Amino acid sequence: VISTNVGEIEQMIRTDDGQEAGLLTDFPAQGLADVQQLYQAMKRYATEPDLLLRHQALAPQAFAKFDMSRCVASYMSLYQDCAKAIVPHE
């Protein structure tokens, strides 16, 4: 992926072990993303096939955190922890 670093995109393209599955460009406070930075990122993928292959291999790992069963399990764990904190133990 090639994206701007706006919001949580950096975390979204990162694998659980901290590797990035894409390239990020700066996003200015006002205006559009820098066309030159986008061009340079695209050029890197076109001229550095090993980088492209590495990011392609990492993409499924980065995407895995958005698997619905994993999201549901995380929410269930959070809700159960909250319920334990609220309900007095016998």
Side-chain angles (χ1 to χ4, degrees), residues 9-78:
I9 300 296
E10 185 174 359
Q11 295 299 323
M12 294 170 80
I13 69 166
R14 190 169 285 154
T15 63
D16 287 342
D17 63 357
Q19 299 181 76
E20 291 184 352
L23 299 172
L24 297 175
T25 63
D26 295 328
F27 191 80
Q30 297 178 355
L32 299 174
D34 186 320
V35 174
Q36 187 61 29
Q37 286 186 23
L38 177 59
Y39 167 77
Q40 290 300 325
M42 293 171 71
K43 183 178 175 183
R44 284 192 69 192
Y45 278 151
T47 61
E48 299 177 41
D50 289 343
L51 176 65
L52 178 60
L53 289 172
R54 185 170 68 246
H55 285 178
Q56 287 174 332
L58 291 170
Q61 294 174 46
F63 181 72
K65 66 179 145 267
F66 300 103
D67 177 74
M68 191 50 62
S69 61
R70 186 172 172 180
C71 291
V72 169
S74 293
Y75 277 114
M76 290 298 296
S77 176
L78 174 65

